[in-house]
Amino acid sequence: MVKINYDLFTKWWQLLQSFQVEQTVAEEAFSQLVAAYSAPGRYYHTLEHIYYVLSTIETLQNQVQDLPPVQLAVWFHDVVYNTLTQDNEQQSASYALEVLGSLQIPHSIIARVISLILNTKHDQAEPDDFDAQVFLDADLEILGSNPQRYHQYALLIRQEYLWMPDVEYLAGRKQVLRQFLHRDRIYLTDLMFNKFESSARQNLRAEIMRIEQISQANQL
């Protein structure tokens, strides 16, 4: 985790340097982000998630028209994460507005960041919004990962909902997974579609099968 934090600060500082942000100010904002993503109750939506999303963005950056807003959106899209509420995206966008405003990031960039963050509410982007498609695909990269990593992800998500009884959680989780499977495409960019679509659908079906097995066992 120390190495991830160091690598993340390097990415953060390089990004803010393009906006002439002073290093001390950048360090303070970074510390606030670290605190937010390290808060109690977070198991998947942590700095490690941010690291993976940023890394995926780097592999897709040739398809991005305006990279800095996409990278900033990654940093802030889960900064507010409370499984007891339904407005995390709006709250994260508000947080981004405040922090990026204090960093004197141009208003047009901030507006774009907020738009990208709000897109994560339903993981949908306009057909001609290629930057949003890249951002959303990177955020969902985990769905197409190898079965072991996906299974660990599913366990971590359950940890974030420990307050919810099994019956309620499993029913809700199953519904979310089915919504992804009902899409024509989980991944919007051709590169991610070709690389991860098949494995993502296999992972989702496998988790649904596990949920059904657990549900049946609970009824015995």
Side-chain angles (χ1 to χ4, degrees):
M1 182 59 72
V2 173
K3 184 179 186 304
I4 286 181
N5 281 11
Y6 176 80
D7 289 345
L8 281 173
F9 178 73
T10 300
K11 294 178 186 294
W12 173 251
W13 173 227
Q14 288 174 346
L15 175 59
L16 291 192
Q17 276 184 304
S18 64
F19 297 106
Q20 289 79 50
V21 176
E22 294 183 2
Q23 184 169 351
T24 55
V25 178
E27 289 174 349
E28 181 180 351
F30 182 76
S31 296
Q32 294 172 358
L33 287 169
V34 170
Y37 282 104
S38 305
R42 287 179 182 256
Y43 296 90
Y44 174 71
H45 293 90
T46 63
L47 287 171
E48 186 173 358
H49 170 57
I50 301 303
Y51 180 82
Y52 274 111
V53 177
L54 286 171
S55 298
T56 304
I57 292 289
E58 290 176 4
T59 68
L60 298 168
Q61 61 182 318
N62 289 338
Q63 302 184 42
V64 177
Q65 296 172 334
D66 192 7
L67 186 59
V70 176
Q71 293 173 318
L72 287 170
V74 173
W75 280 102
F76 288 94
H77 78 287
D78 284 326
V79 69
V80 176
Y81 186 76
N82 182 351
T83 58
L84 290 167
T85 65
Q86 301 293 321
D87 63 345
N88 288 313
E89 295 81 10
Q90 290 89 339
Q91 292 294 328
S92 294
S94 296
Y95 185 103
L97 175 64
E98 180 179 350
V99 173
L100 294 177
S102 71
L103 295 174
Q104 298 184 333
I105 304 300
H107 294 300
S108 60
I109 299 291
I110 296 176
R112 181 57 170 151
V113 171
I114 290 173
S115 174
L116 289 167
I117 292 172
L118 294 178
N119 279 340
T120 64
K121 180 73 173 179
H122 302 291
D123 293 310
Q124 296 287 349
E126 294 297 327
D128 60 347
D129 192 345
F130 301 112
D131 287 5
Q133 292 173 20
V134 167
F135 170 54
L136 294 176
D137 278 4
D139 192 32
L140 297 178
E141 174 268 342
I142 187 67
L143 300 184
S145 60
N146 65 66
Q148 293 76 21
R149 183 169 165 239
Y150 179 91
H151 183 59
Q152 181 64 22
Y153 146 76
L155 293 176
L156 294 175
I157 293 295
R158 180 64 182 110
Q159 287 288 102
E160 293 181 336
Y161 285 85
L162 275 180
W163 56 270
M164 187 178 288
D166 273 351
V167 172
E168 186 178 349
Y169 175 79
L170 294 174
R173 179 69 177 169
K174 185 176 178 180
Q175 182 179 4
V176 170
L177 300 176
R178 282 181 167 170
Q179 287 173 350
F180 277 113
L181 286 174
H182 288 160
R183 294 185 181 188
D184 292 334
R185 296 172 62 129
I186 295 172
Y187 295 104
L188 304 173
T189 62
D190 288 340
L191 182 61
M192 293 290 283
F193 178 85
N194 293 332
K195 187 175 183 180
F196 291 118
E197 185 79 13
S198 177
S199 55
R201 291 185 179 275
Q202 291 175 11
N203 285 332
L204 295 173
R205 293 190 186 99
E207 187 179 356
I208 288 175
M209 186 176 299
R210 287 194 295 269
I211 289 174
E212 291 176 343
Q213 291 171 346
I214 295 171
S215 298
Q216 290 173 2
N218 289 341
Q219 293 174 2
L220 297 179

